[in-house]
Amino acid sequence: MKIAFVGAGSVVFTQGLLADLFAFPELGSARIALHDIDPGRLATAEGAARFIAEHRGAKPEITTHLDRRAALADADFVINIVQVGMDAATRTDFDVPARYGLRQTIGDTLGVGGIFRALRTFPVLRGIAEDMADLCPDAHLLNYTNPMAMNVLYLSRIAPRLKVTGLCHSVYWTMNDLARLVGVPFEEVTYLAAGVNHQAWVLRFERAGQDLYPLLDEVIARDPGLLRRVRVDMYRRLGHYPTETSEHSSEYVPWYLSHEEEIERLRLPVGAYLEIIQENAASYEQTREALDAGRPLPVEGTMEYAPQIIHSVATGTPRTVYGNVPNRGLIENLPADAAVEVPCLVDGTGVRPTRIGALPPQCAALNRAYVSVTDLVVRAATDGDPRHIRHAAMADPATAAALPVERIWDLCDDLVRAHGDLLQPELRAVLGH
């Protein structure tokens, strides 16, 4: 079995995935092809991979490739973890909107940060899809790169035959957190969630058939500090707990980041992702220095879905994971071609999404606003229409709440100028008003 990592220079994430992969004895002899365009990061990823394999007692064949096609040739699974433009582009996504008074916390899913992260990622995704069609057409593409919903939707439109599943850990860790809050062992919890990535909803939260939401209500009533979280505020008003952090959740609605008093009440860390960038850079340097000095690395599993999917497909072991896939009737009150997040059964036959039916109408209403933005961003790229970039920003709830329409267009022009050659040529136009 061959597993290709595209963007393997995201060393910390690569380490966690490999630690999970090599924890399965059946995957210990896999061929691991690491690809990155940065030779230094690629070398560090290779060193970490070899250390983790030895620590886990695995004997994989590990190869490194600056050429993506060489890494993808004959792959069975492709794990995409690229970040186009790296830290500099992400800082641009924060710095330029901040000059307009537009606040962001994470900026990788929706809003102008998510829009432009998607637009500079799409050309790379197209290249990956074309290479896979040529070199490994039956492989599974397991995508971790954000903005998840935009990337999965884009791939479904430009390469409908590609087997794509978008993977995110938000549902899993949300349910761990909720189990801990109510004092119930996670292994005893049964749950169902569905919606869109970073804005899915906990539809069932039970133990042995007993609803645990009333117990959660009691915990919240006893702890006023919990009321100072966006996701708890949203849960109390909408009736279903959102599956992403408060920092994320605040960006997808118009109610919080435009108001100083809400930022204070809900302790929202504006610009939080800029600190995460620094932490990731420090973690990479620690890994590189440890390898250079011959010091051991921490080898910790992350419970990510990609290794579980690979193991299930390879061995036939059935599992349920949460995946981002084209809707196609899975959630009946969201658009048919939206990218949705639902439970998926995985076994030797592949990844099979679960039909959910209808979401609660108040939850579907928020998701529809989200997928409208996503649709317009993807149309900008597939139609080569730069006006749709502006339309997406106009439709975005948090952006529209913060800026008048002329300022939204000015902001998009500035971001187009700033990202320049990272965008496909048709989208580099500055439109003015």
Side-chain angles (χ1 to χ4, degrees):
M1 177 181 294
K2 182 176 179 180
I3 306 165
F5 285 71
V6 178
S10 302
V11 172
V12 175
F13 206 65
T14 300
Q15 284 178 258
L17 290 170
L18 289 171
D20 287 343
L21 277 169
F22 296 148
F24 292 114
E26 299 93 337
L27 303 180
S29 60
R31 292 182 292 154
I32 305 296
L34 304 175
H35 161 67
D36 204 274
I37 61 173
D38 184 320
R41 281 185 167 267
L42 185 58
T44 302
E46 179 185 13
R50 295 191 185 282
F51 178 87
I52 292 167
E54 182 177 1
H55 187 274
R56 290 288 204 209
K59 298 186 183 300
E61 176 189 317
I62 297 172
T63 57
T64 60
H65 309 271
L66 291 169
D67 176 64
R68 185 176 65 214
R69 289 178 61 86
L72 294 179
D74 301 319
D76 298 289
F77 296 91
V78 178
I79 299 176
N80 178 42
I81 47 179
V82 299
Q83 184 182 349
V84 178
M86 293 294 287
D87 296 352
T90 301
R91 290 186 186 281
T92 296
D93 287 340
F94 277 85
D95 292 345
V96 175
R99 295 202 295 266
Y100 284 75
L102 182 61
R103 301 181 180 101
Q104 299 177 98
T105 50
I106 306 299
D108 72 350
T109 301
L110 217 59
V112 291
I115 289 168
F116 280 87
R117 181 179 281 237
L119 293 173
R120 63 179 184 265
T121 303
F122 289 166
V124 176
L125 293 181
R126 179 177 288 275
I128 293 170
E130 290 173 351
D131 287 347
M132 290 182 65
D134 186 31
L135 299 167
C136 53
D138 295 324
H140 291 264
L141 176 57
L142 306 177
N143 178 71
Y144 277 102
T145 296
N146 284 322
M148 180 66 69
M150 295 184 193
N151 290 339
V152 170
L153 181 61
Y154 177 76
L155 286 166
S156 74
R157 289 185 179 169
I158 67 160
R161 295 185 180 181
L162 195 63
K163 293 188 286 190
V164 181
T165 308
L167 302 177
C168 176
H169 49 226
S170 62
V171 172
Y172 175 81
W173 289 113
T174 291
M175 300 315 303
N176 270 268
D177 290 345
L178 287 179
R180 186 164 52 251
L181 269 177
V182 300
V184 174
F186 176 70
E187 296 75 19
E188 298 179 15
V189 171
T190 301
Y191 60 90
L192 174 67
V196 293
N197 181 240
H198 292 170
Q199 199 188 60
W201 313 95
V202 180
L203 305 177
R204 288 176 50 201
F205 177 35
E206 300 174 348
R207 176 175 61 175
Q210 179 183 2
D211 186 5
L212 292 175
Y213 264 137
L215 191 55
L216 177 62
D217 294 338
E218 293 175 11
V219 172
I220 293 171
R222 291 195 302 267
D223 184 355
L226 290 175
L227 297 176
R228 299 186 66 194
R229 295 184 184 178
V230 164
R231 64 202 309 197
V232 173
D233 192 73
M234 291 178 67
Y235 159 60
R236 291 177 66 239
R237 299 175 193 279
L238 297 168
H240 294 275
Y241 203 79
T243 62
E244 205 21 286
T245 64
S246 292
E247 292 84 354
H248 272 284
S249 296
S250 68
E251 292 190 305
Y252 317 142
V253 294
W255 315 314
Y256 300 117
L257 285 170
S258 295
H259 306 286
E260 295 281 359
E261 64 274 17
E262 290 297 85
I263 291 173
E264 181 178 353
R265 177 175 76 92
L266 298 165
R267 301 171 292 183
L268 284 169
V270 175
Y273 197 73
L274 297 177
E275 295 182 11
I276 295 172
I277 287 174
Q278 294 177 331
E279 293 169 1
N280 289 342
S283 296
Y284 168 74
E285 288 300 326
Q286 290 168 5
T287 296
R288 185 181 61 79
E289 290 168 3
L291 289 169
D292 289 346
R295 296 194 303 270
L297 299 175
V299 179
E300 300 175 0
T302 58
M303 298 300 293
E304 290 289 352
Y305 287 136
Q308 298 178 52
I309 289 174
I310 293 169
H311 182 261
S312 287
V313 174
T315 65
T317 304
R319 283 185 177 84
T320 297
V321 304
Y322 275 78
N324 291 270
V325 295
N327 188 11
R328 296 172 186 161
L330 300 172
I331 299 178
E332 64 190 38
N333 50 352
L334 292 184
D337 69 343
V340 297
E341 189 165 69
V342 295
C344 301
L345 174 65
V346 191
D347 58 20
T349 66
V351 180
R352 288 176 290 171
T354 302
R355 185 180 183 279
I356 298 299
L359 293 176
Q362 68 276 21
C363 297
L366 293 184
N367 284 170
R368 282 196 293 269
Y370 176 121
V371 301
S372 292
V373 179
T374 297
D375 174 68
L376 285 164
V377 177
V378 172
R379 287 180 187 276
T382 56
D383 297 353
D385 186 348
R387 291 176 61 88
H388 283 329
I389 301 174
R390 284 77 179 170
H391 298 155
M394 290 165 62
D396 177 68
T399 304
L403 298 177
V405 68
E406 288 193 4
R407 296 290 282 167
I408 291 173
W409 278 57
D410 289 342
L411 171 57
C412 289
D413 281 349
D414 280 351
L415 283 166
V416 166
R417 291 187 190 99
H419 287 303
D421 292 346
L422 293 177
L423 307 180
Q424 67 191 63
E426 306 94 320
L427 302 183
R428 298 173 192 169
V430 174
L431 301 183
H433 300 311

